[in-house]
Amino acid sequence: MTADLFDSLPGPGPDEEPLAEGAVLLRGFARERADALVAAVRAVEAAAPFRHLVTPGGYRMSVAMTNCGTVGWVSDRSGYRYDPDDPIAGRPWPTMPPVFAALADAASVKAGFGPFAPDACLINRYEPGSRLSLHQDRDERDTGAPIVSVSLGLPATFLFGGLQRSDPTRRVRVEHGDVAVWGGPARLAFHGIAPLPDGSHAILGRQRINLTFRKAL
Ligand code: MD3
Ligand code: FE
């Protein structure tokens, strides 16, 4: 008997922490697959190295980024977009590693959003002091699909607010192996990451890596 009693009950189970209407934190959900996820990140970055993108306003982002999947998120002086090609390598982004796709789907199901087949994974790398200021993820064609985010390495503080930039923000600490799922009314919430405190993680050293899975097309 492995069926979980809570599978049959509506609402969040014991290891599911509601963050907001439509947003759930699954603490430790990726922990036992974390080594495989990190190995897959290494394979992606060997083909598509992390780089600091420039915002349309001309600022260099403190977070370094790469992508895998059918399309990848990029920013430059002309704007934000999903692009099938890595503009630096001049070839398609690496394909989505199976361990990535499986984890994103399992997290979506666990959080109650049903099967999820993302076509894009943005990989963010933070070093101490890196931050992501408050923004909405609205470059995806299908905002009916959730976003799944996986935290690896150093702990960080999520900031998330409401549908207006001026709404009050809540802070939640996330650490290695934590997974958050954002859908429904939370899908277009403003969110960001506070400046990363210094520290050292057993696997990743002075780094935090975040995977965000999206249905962009
Ligand atoms: C809330 N990344 O890549 S993931 C991003 O940790 C991004 O690197 C952050 O925001 C990171 O766009 C935060 C948490 C997250 C992702 C998507 C959301 C929170 C969200 C979409 C709607 C509301
Ligand atoms: Fe975001």
Side-chain angles (χ1 to χ4, degrees):
M1 243 296 274
T2 54
D4 181 341
L5 167 66
F6 292 94
D7 285 351
S8 60
L9 298 176
D15 46 359
E16 295 163 54
E17 188 177 324
L19 293 174
E21 187 67 27
V24 188
L25 180 59
L26 307 171
R27 291 208 190 262
F29 189 77
R31 218 163 211 299
E32 54 193 34
R33 274 182 266 189
D35 288 354
L37 295 170
V38 170
V41 171
R42 296 304 171 225
V44 169
E45 70 171 304
F50 284 104
R51 77 290 307 264
H52 292 271
L53 298 173
V54 173
T55 65
Y59 293 97
R60 171 189 189 266
M61 296 181 76
S62 64
V63 177
M65 299 179 169
T66 186
N67 291 275
C68 60
T70 309
V71 290
W73 187 86
V74 294
S75 174
D76 59 23
R77 290 304 304 243
S78 72
Y80 308 125
R81 67 186 175 280
Y82 280 97
D83 198 314
D85 293 323
D86 173 350
I88 292 181
R91 57 173 180 255
W93 295 103
T95 55
M96 181 102 58
V99 66
F100 277 24
L103 180 81
D105 180 64
S108 175
V109 169
K110 180 82 174 172
F113 292 100
F116 177 47
D119 48 28
C121 176
L122 172 62
I123 308 177
N124 293 152
R125 186 188 68 197
Y126 297 76
E127 287 170 347
S130 300
R131 62 196 289 272
L132 196 59
S133 56
L134 219 55
H135 67 278
Q136 291 170 295
D137 290 12
R138 49 186 307 162
D139 301 322
E140 300 75 26
R141 210 164 292 157
D142 180 6
T143 53
I147 288 185
V148 172
S149 111
V150 180
S151 292
L152 298 168
L154 286 178
T157 300
F158 266 175
L159 311 172
F160 66 93
L163 297 179
Q164 311 281 139
R165 185 180 289 280
S166 57
D167 288 340
T169 53
R170 269 191 61 194
R171 304 173 137 253
V172 175
R173 189 181 140 99
V174 287
E175 59 179 44
H176 184 71
D178 290 350
V179 178
V181 187
W182 311 82
R187 176 63 182 76
L188 290 173
F190 277 89
H191 60 279
I193 294 286
L196 193 76
D198 203 354
S200 182
H201 183 266
I203 299 166
L204 284 169
R206 295 179 77 205
Q207 274 179 23
R208 168 177 188 262
I209 289 178
N210 183 266
L211 316 175
T212 55
F213 295 96
R214 299 118 187 276
K215 202 155 177 64
L217 301 179

